[in-house]
Amino acid sequence: MTELTTALLAAYDEHMRGLGVRAEDETHDSDGPLLRKYGGFRGFVTSPRPDLGLRGDALDELIARQREFFAARGESVEWKTRGHDLPADLPARLTAAGFVGEEPETVLVGLAAELATPTPAPEGVTVRRVTSPADMRRIAAMESEVWGEDWSWLADDLTTRANGPADFLVLVAETDTPRPEVVSAAWLNRTPGSEFGGLWGGSTLAAWRGRGIYRSLVAHRAHWALDHGIRYLQVDASPDSAPILNRLGMHAVTTTTPYVWTPPTA
Protein backbone atom coordinates (compact mmCIF):
# COMPACT_ATOMS: atom_id res chain seq x y z
CA MET A 1 0.00 0.00 0.00
CA THR A 2 1.08 3.56 -0.62
CA GLU A 3 1.21 6.08 2.20
CA LEU A 4 -2.03 7.62 0.91
CA THR A 5 -4.00 4.38 0.71
CA THR A 6 -2.75 3.38 4.15
CA ALA A 7 -4.05 6.69 5.53
CA LEU A 8 -7.36 6.30 3.71
CA LEU A 9 -7.81 2.76 5.06
CA ALA A 10 -7.11 3.99 8.59
CA ALA A 11 -9.73 6.73 8.18
CA TYR A 12 -12.19 4.15 6.80
CA ASP A 13 -11.62 1.81 9.76
CA GLU A 14 -12.17 4.67 12.19
CA HIS A 15 -15.39 6.01 10.70
CA MET A 16 -17.03 3.49 8.35
CA ARG A 17 -17.49 0.33 10.40
CA GLY A 18 -20.64 1.31 12.28
CA LEU A 19 -24.35 0.72 11.78
CA GLY A 20 -25.24 4.09 10.27
CA VAL A 21 -28.34 6.10 11.11
CA ARG A 22 -30.99 4.10 12.93
CA ALA A 23 -34.28 3.85 11.04
CA GLU A 24 -37.54 4.12 12.97
CA ASP A 25 -38.24 0.39 12.76
CA GLU A 26 -34.69 -0.71 13.66
CA THR A 27 -32.99 -1.65 16.89
CA HIS A 28 -29.23 -1.23 17.32
CA ASP A 29 -27.31 -3.17 19.93
CA SER A 30 -24.06 -5.08 20.39
CA ASP A 31 -22.94 -8.61 21.21
CA GLY A 32 -19.35 -8.93 22.40
CA PRO A 33 -17.10 -7.44 19.69
CA LEU A 34 -19.97 -7.05 17.20
CA LEU A 35 -22.42 -4.28 16.39
CA ARG A 36 -25.85 -5.50 15.35
CA LYS A 37 -29.09 -4.09 13.97
CA TYR A 38 -32.42 -5.75 13.31
CA GLY A 39 -36.06 -5.04 12.60
CA GLY A 40 -35.60 -3.42 9.18
CA PHE A 41 -35.17 -4.86 5.68
CA ARG A 42 -32.84 -7.52 7.09
CA GLY A 43 -30.45 -7.80 9.99
CA PHE A 44 -26.90 -6.56 9.82
CA VAL A 45 -23.76 -7.45 11.76
CA THR A 46 -20.38 -5.73 11.62
CA SER A 47 -17.22 -5.33 13.65
CA PRO A 48 -16.16 -1.81 14.68
CA ARG A 49 -12.51 -2.94 14.62
CA PRO A 50 -10.48 -4.84 12.01
CA ASP A 51 -9.63 -7.58 14.53
CA LEU A 52 -12.56 -9.32 16.20
CA GLY A 53 -10.22 -10.49 18.95
CA LEU A 54 -11.69 -14.01 18.99
CA ARG A 55 -10.26 -17.22 17.57
CA GLY A 56 -11.28 -20.87 17.19
CA ASP A 57 -14.15 -22.13 19.33
CA ALA A 58 -14.87 -18.70 20.81
CA LEU A 59 -15.40 -17.30 17.32
CA ASP A 60 -17.62 -20.24 16.34
CA GLU A 61 -19.75 -19.61 19.44
CA LEU A 62 -20.15 -15.94 18.50
CA ILE A 63 -21.24 -16.87 14.97
CA ALA A 64 -23.70 -19.48 16.24
CA ARG A 65 -25.15 -16.95 18.68
CA GLN A 66 -25.93 -14.53 15.84
CA ARG A 67 -27.54 -17.28 13.80
CA GLU A 68 -29.69 -18.35 16.73
CA PHE A 69 -30.66 -14.76 17.53
CA PHE A 70 -31.92 -14.08 14.01
CA ALA A 71 -33.49 -17.52 13.70
CA ALA A 72 -35.64 -16.71 16.74
CA ARG A 73 -36.74 -13.55 14.93
CA GLY A 74 -37.34 -15.32 11.61
CA GLU A 75 -35.09 -12.67 10.06
CA SER A 76 -32.22 -13.00 7.61
CA VAL A 77 -28.93 -11.29 8.45
CA GLU A 78 -25.91 -9.94 6.60
CA TRP A 79 -22.50 -10.23 8.26
CA LYS A 80 -20.23 -7.64 6.62
CA THR A 81 -16.61 -8.78 6.27
CA ARG A 82 -13.57 -6.89 4.97
CA GLY A 83 -10.58 -8.37 3.20
CA HIS A 84 -8.07 -7.06 5.75
CA ASP A 85 -10.00 -8.18 8.81
CA LEU A 86 -8.80 -10.73 11.37
CA PRO A 87 -9.00 -13.56 11.98
CA ALA A 88 -8.37 -14.54 8.37
CA ASP A 89 -10.48 -17.68 8.70
CA LEU A 90 -13.68 -15.76 9.56
CA PRO A 91 -15.19 -16.30 6.06
CA ALA A 92 -14.54 -20.04 6.26
CA ARG A 93 -16.14 -20.26 9.70
CA LEU A 94 -19.17 -18.25 8.54
CA THR A 95 -19.58 -20.60 5.58
CA ALA A 96 -19.34 -23.64 7.86
CA ALA A 97 -22.13 -22.12 9.99
CA GLY A 98 -24.46 -21.79 7.00
CA PHE A 99 -23.78 -18.22 5.91
CA VAL A 100 -23.59 -17.75 2.15
CA GLY A 101 -21.00 -15.43 0.69
CA GLU A 102 -22.26 -12.98 -1.92
CA GLU A 103 -20.16 -11.29 -4.60
CA PRO A 104 -17.13 -9.42 -3.19
CA GLU A 105 -16.86 -5.70 -3.82
CA THR A 106 -13.91 -3.31 -3.80
CA VAL A 107 -13.89 -0.64 -1.11
CA LEU A 108 -12.71 2.63 -2.62
CA VAL A 109 -12.10 5.90 -0.78
CA GLY A 110 -11.38 9.27 -2.35
CA LEU A 111 -11.06 12.91 -1.44
CA ALA A 112 -14.14 14.93 -2.36
CA ALA A 113 -11.93 17.85 -3.44
CA GLU A 114 -10.25 15.66 -6.05
CA LEU A 115 -13.51 14.18 -7.34
CA ALA A 116 -15.39 17.48 -7.69
CA THR A 117 -14.20 18.10 -11.23
CA PRO A 118 -16.29 19.82 -13.94
CA THR A 119 -18.13 16.81 -15.40
CA PRO A 120 -21.37 17.85 -17.13
CA ALA A 121 -24.02 15.31 -18.04
CA PRO A 122 -24.07 14.24 -21.71
CA GLU A 123 -26.20 16.14 -24.19
CA GLY A 124 -29.89 15.43 -23.76
CA VAL A 125 -29.58 14.50 -20.06
CA THR A 126 -30.16 16.66 -16.98
CA VAL A 127 -29.00 15.86 -13.44
CA ARG A 128 -31.11 17.25 -10.60
CA ARG A 129 -31.77 16.71 -6.92
CA VAL A 130 -35.08 15.05 -5.99
CA THR A 131 -37.03 14.63 -2.77
CA SER A 132 -40.63 13.88 -3.81
CA PRO A 133 -42.23 10.44 -3.44
CA ALA A 134 -43.20 10.54 -7.13
CA ASP A 135 -39.55 10.89 -8.19
CA MET A 136 -38.49 8.13 -5.81
CA ARG A 137 -41.05 5.81 -7.41
CA ARG A 138 -39.56 6.63 -10.81
CA ILE A 139 -36.11 5.72 -9.46
CA ALA A 140 -37.43 2.45 -8.06
CA ALA A 141 -39.01 1.61 -11.42
CA MET A 142 -35.70 2.30 -13.17
CA GLU A 143 -33.80 0.11 -10.70
CA SER A 144 -36.36 -2.67 -11.18
CA GLU A 145 -35.75 -2.55 -14.92
CA VAL A 146 -31.97 -2.55 -14.52
CA TRP A 147 -31.87 -5.48 -12.12
CA GLY A 148 -34.83 -7.47 -13.42
CA GLU A 149 -36.49 -7.73 -10.01
CA ASP A 150 -38.90 -5.78 -7.83
CA TRP A 151 -37.21 -2.75 -6.26
CA SER A 152 -40.44 -0.94 -5.37
CA TRP A 153 -39.38 -0.97 -1.69
CA LEU A 154 -36.65 1.53 -2.55
CA ALA A 155 -39.13 4.38 -3.12
CA ASP A 156 -40.25 4.60 0.51
CA ASP A 157 -36.69 4.14 1.79
CA LEU A 158 -35.30 7.00 -0.31
CA THR A 159 -38.29 9.26 0.40
CA THR A 160 -37.87 8.87 4.16
CA ARG A 161 -34.14 9.56 4.09
CA ALA A 162 -34.28 12.41 1.56
CA ASN A 163 -36.81 14.26 3.72
CA GLY A 164 -34.98 13.65 6.98
CA PRO A 165 -31.80 15.32 8.26
CA ALA A 166 -29.95 17.44 5.68
CA ASP A 167 -27.17 14.86 5.20
CA PHE A 168 -28.71 12.79 2.41
CA LEU A 169 -28.73 13.63 -1.29
CA VAL A 170 -30.62 11.87 -4.11
CA LEU A 171 -29.93 12.71 -7.75
CA VAL A 172 -31.61 11.60 -10.95
CA ALA A 173 -30.28 11.79 -14.47
CA GLU A 174 -33.21 12.14 -16.84
CA THR A 175 -33.77 12.80 -20.51
CA ASP A 176 -34.60 16.30 -21.74
CA THR A 177 -37.76 15.22 -23.55
CA PRO A 178 -41.38 16.36 -23.16
CA ARG A 179 -41.84 13.27 -20.97
CA PRO A 180 -38.51 12.95 -19.12
CA GLU A 181 -37.31 9.42 -18.44
CA VAL A 182 -35.11 8.54 -15.48
CA VAL A 183 -32.10 6.80 -16.99
CA SER A 184 -29.87 6.73 -13.88
CA ALA A 185 -29.94 7.68 -10.20
CA ALA A 186 -27.49 7.93 -7.34
CA TRP A 187 -27.44 9.04 -3.73
CA LEU A 188 -25.03 10.09 -0.99
CA ASN A 189 -25.42 9.69 2.75
CA ARG A 190 -23.17 11.23 5.36
CA THR A 191 -21.83 9.00 8.10
CA PRO A 192 -22.94 10.68 11.34
CA GLY A 193 -20.19 12.40 13.28
CA SER A 194 -17.61 12.02 10.55
CA GLU A 195 -16.18 13.60 7.41
CA PHE A 196 -17.25 10.56 5.35
CA GLY A 197 -20.01 10.27 2.81
CA GLY A 198 -21.05 7.01 1.16
CA LEU A 199 -21.83 6.92 -2.56
CA TRP A 200 -24.66 4.58 -3.52
CA GLY A 201 -26.69 3.80 -6.61
CA GLY A 202 -25.39 4.79 -10.01
CA SER A 203 -27.32 2.11 -11.90
CA THR A 204 -28.02 3.16 -15.47
CA LEU A 205 -30.42 1.83 -18.09
CA ALA A 206 -28.55 -0.30 -20.61
CA ALA A 207 -29.24 2.00 -23.57
CA TRP A 208 -27.64 4.95 -21.76
CA ARG A 209 -24.43 3.36 -20.50
CA GLY A 210 -21.02 4.46 -21.69
CA ARG A 211 -22.00 8.13 -22.11
CA GLY A 212 -20.47 9.58 -18.95
CA ILE A 213 -23.62 9.69 -16.80
CA TYR A 214 -22.04 7.73 -13.96
CA ARG A 215 -19.00 10.06 -13.90
CA SER A 216 -21.28 13.08 -13.87
CA LEU A 217 -23.25 11.76 -10.91
CA VAL A 218 -20.01 11.19 -8.97
CA ALA A 219 -18.86 14.76 -9.66
CA HIS A 220 -22.23 16.26 -8.68
CA ARG A 221 -22.17 14.40 -5.38
CA ALA A 222 -18.56 15.42 -4.72
CA HIS A 223 -19.45 19.10 -5.19
CA TRP A 224 -22.37 18.71 -2.77
CA ALA A 225 -20.09 16.92 -0.29
CA LEU A 226 -17.61 19.77 -0.29
CA ASP A 227 -20.40 22.26 0.36
CA HIS A 228 -21.47 20.20 3.38
CA GLY A 229 -18.07 19.66 4.99
CA ILE A 230 -17.60 16.09 3.79
CA ARG A 231 -13.93 15.34 3.10
CA TYR A 232 -13.95 11.66 2.13
CA LEU A 233 -16.20 9.72 -0.24
CA GLN A 234 -16.46 5.95 -0.04
CA VAL A 235 -17.94 3.27 -2.31
CA ASP A 236 -18.44 -0.48 -2.10
CA ALA A 237 -17.95 -0.94 -5.83
CA SER A 238 -18.94 -3.70 -8.22
CA PRO A 239 -16.39 -4.99 -10.75
CA ASP A 240 -18.05 -2.73 -13.35
CA SER A 241 -17.85 0.44 -11.24
CA ALA A 242 -14.46 -0.03 -9.55
CA PRO A 243 -12.29 0.72 -12.64
CA ILE A 244 -14.32 3.85 -13.42
CA LEU A 245 -13.98 5.14 -9.87
CA ASN A 246 -10.28 4.36 -9.85
CA ARG A 247 -9.80 6.40 -13.02
CA LEU A 248 -11.75 9.26 -11.44
CA GLY A 249 -9.30 9.37 -8.53
CA MET A 250 -10.66 6.99 -5.89
CA HIS A 251 -8.32 4.48 -4.24
CA ALA A 252 -8.93 0.80 -3.53
CA VAL A 253 -8.18 0.20 0.16
CA THR A 254 -9.68 -3.24 0.81
CA THR A 255 -12.50 -5.55 -0.27
CA THR A 256 -15.82 -6.35 1.35
CA THR A 257 -17.93 -9.50 1.11
CA PRO A 258 -21.38 -9.88 2.69
CA TYR A 259 -22.15 -13.25 4.22
CA VAL A 260 -25.90 -13.83 4.49
CA TRP A 261 -27.80 -16.30 6.59
CA THR A 262 -31.50 -16.87 5.94
CA PRO A 263 -33.67 -18.90 8.31
CA PRO A 264 -35.89 -21.52 6.68
CA THR A 265 -39.05 -19.60 7.60
CA ALA A 266 -37.82 -16.18 6.32
Side-chain angles (χ1 to χ4, degrees), residues 10-26:
Y12 170 87
D13 280 334
E14 181 179 357
H15 296 288
M16 295 298 292
R17 302 182 66 100
L19 299 175
V21 177
R22 186 179 65 84
E24 289 185 5
D25 55 352
E26 287 180 348

Side-chain angles (χ1 to χ4, degrees), residues 121-142:
E123 185 176 355
V125 174
T126 296
V127 173
R128 66 182 179 92
R129 184 178 188 179
V130 294
T131 58
S132 74
D135 281 321
M136 303 310 179
R137 288 193 292 270
R138 295 169 69 217
I139 292 173
M142 182 274 297

Side-chain angles (χ1 to χ4, degrees), residues 161-181:
R161 293 197 282 170
N163 290 280
D167 56 4
F168 191 78
L169 170 73
V170 183
L171 299 174
V172 294
E174 59 188 0
T175 57
D176 298 335
T177 60
R179 298 183 63 183
E181 176 188 14

Side-chain angles (χ1 to χ4, degrees), residues 203-259:
S203 300
T204 304
L205 293 178
W208 289 87
R209 294 171 191 164
R211 305 191 192 191
I213 295 173
Y214 186 87
R215 293 191 298 272
S216 181
L217 288 170
V218 169
H220 275 78
R221 285 176 287 174
H223 280 288
W224 187 89
L226 286 177
D227 291 341
H228 290 77
I230 296 172
R231 182 181 181 188
Y232 303 99
L233 295 176
Q234 181 265 324
V235 184
D236 292 349
S238 69
D240 290 335
S241 300
I244 301 172
L245 292 163
N246 186 254
R247 289 194 297 270
L248 292 177
M250 299 194 78
H251 304 271
V253 298
T254 187
T255 59
T256 181
T257 304
Y259 281 79

